[in-house]
């Protein structure tokens, strides 16, 4: 006769990315979202960061996040990120008359894109947190204009994006490379200078701006997708104990079946 005690230690390691689980899906034909102009969108220093899942390899321009691409806006005012139209596709980063490109835009894969620029300074394009192209901007470009901010299109020129978009950030300052890496893995974790933050994980006709500005997007047609970008990388193993019959009276020997599971 003896007391039966079983102690099990649980260890689980998650070395692969933790998927966010949602995004907005745009059909490349008529789906888009837009936000009203605010003064901060005309700041001398700006950054746009976004997760994209491109599904198109055709020869059309596809706007990801764009500003001032209107018929009356002119090339001196426009800025944003596009999927270019050269057959195999390229990532196109633009501010005013200056732009740079990164060849071979990924298809059917999540990619993190960031545009940073200073008027009369340098424009930089980042792909998955790594600086991929740069260009010196002309004096004073892009010029200020009060057109809307678009997601998945480019104003009156349409250029609808075909694929999924998640975690759009806009800052009124130039992000450093390490900051880009941080928000790529942990969206919304840097508040300094954040002037718009749209998770793009909701449904319906409005996408909330979770920054302090509260400049919400109006959504046209885009649907919620259960697929999200690979944000985060958790390699810390959770541990715990399971004890059976720790306070029980003495018992005869017996077969015990124990099933354990853990999530993190």
């Amino acid at each position: 006769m003896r007391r039966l005690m079983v102690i099990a230690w649980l260890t689980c390691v998650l070395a692969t990315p933790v998927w966010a689980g949602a995004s907005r899906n745009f059909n490349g034909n008529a789906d888009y979202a837009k936000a009203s102009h605010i003064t901060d969108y005309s700041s001398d220093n700006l950054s746009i960061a976004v997760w994209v899942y491109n599904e198109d390899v055709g020869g059309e321009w596809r706007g990801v996040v764009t500003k001032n691409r209107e018929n009356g806006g002119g090339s001196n005012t426009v800025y944003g990120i596009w999927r270019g139209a050269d057959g195999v596709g390229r990532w196109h980063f633009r501010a005013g008359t200056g732009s740079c490109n990164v060849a071979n835009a990924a298809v059917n894969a999540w990619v993190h894109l960031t545009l940073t620029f200073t008027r009369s300074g340098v424009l930089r394009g980042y792909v998955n947190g790594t600086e991929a192209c740069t260009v010196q901007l002309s004096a004073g470009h892009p010029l200020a204009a009060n057109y809307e901010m678009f997601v998945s299109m480019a104003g009156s020129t349409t250029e609808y994006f075909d694929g999924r978009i998640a975690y759009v950030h806009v800052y009124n300052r130039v992000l450093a490379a390490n900051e880009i890496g941080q928000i790529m893995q942990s969206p919304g974790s840097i508040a300094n200078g954040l002037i718009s933050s749209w998770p793009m994980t909701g449904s319906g006709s409005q996408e909330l701006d979770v920054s302090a500005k509260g400049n919400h997007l109006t959504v046209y047609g885009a649907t919620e997708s259960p697929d999200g970008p690979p944000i985060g990388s958790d390699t810390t193993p959770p541990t715990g104990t399971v004890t059976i019959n720790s306070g029980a009276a003495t018992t005869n020997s017996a077969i015990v079946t124990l099933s354990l599971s853990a999530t993190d």
Side-chain angles (χ1 to χ4, degrees), residues 57-247:
V57 294
E60 298 183 33
W61 283 93
R62 303 287 188 181
V64 179
V65 183
T66 72
K67 183 76 165 62
N68 302 331
R69 184 78 163 98
E70 305 287 354
N71 288 334
S75 62
N76 293 343
T77 64
V78 65
Y79 64 82
I81 302 172
W82 279 259
R83 202 300 311 270
D86 58 354
V88 295
R90 66 183 187 274
W91 300 121
H92 179 78
F93 304 88
R94 179 174 174 181
T97 57
S99 65
C100 67
N101 300 280
V102 180
N104 300 320
V107 180
N108 296 326
W110 280 105
V111 178
H112 190 264
L113 304 174
T114 305
L115 162 72
T116 72
F117 66 86
T118 298
R119 297 183 198 276
S120 305
V122 176
L123 176 153
R124 290 181 169 84
Y126 294 79
V127 178
N128 290 330
T130 300
E131 184 179 306
C133 67
T134 64
V135 66
Q136 177 66 45
L137 298 179
S138 301
H141 283 188
L143 303 175
N146 60 357
Y147 297 104
E148 295 150 315
M149 181 78 76
F150 286 93
V151 176
S152 182
M153 73 174 296
S156 59
T157 61
T158 61
E159 300 173 348
Y160 298 109
F161 186 74
D162 186 5
R164 299 189 283 280
I165 295 176
Y167 297 109
V168 181
H169 298 75
V170 185
Y171 289 84
N172 62 2
R173 64 184 183 88
V174 172
L175 292 173
N178 66 305
E179 293 178 308
I180 292 170
Q182 179 176 330
I183 63 171
M184 180 175 71
Q185 296 297 333
S186 182
S189 60
I190 296 178
N192 180 23
L194 186 63
I195 54 176
S196 286
S197 179
W198 301 297
M200 308 303 291
T201 57
S203 60
S205 61
Q206 187 180 70
E207 183 71 34
L208 296 180
D209 178 6
V210 297
S211 78
K213 299 294 181 179
N215 193 27
H216 309 315
L217 284 171
T218 301
V219 181
Y220 299 87
T223 57
E224 182 181 9
S225 169
D227 177 45
I231 61 172
S233 183
D234 185 358
T235 59
T236 302
T239 60
T241 63
V242 175
T243 303
I244 297 177
N245 292 343
S246 62

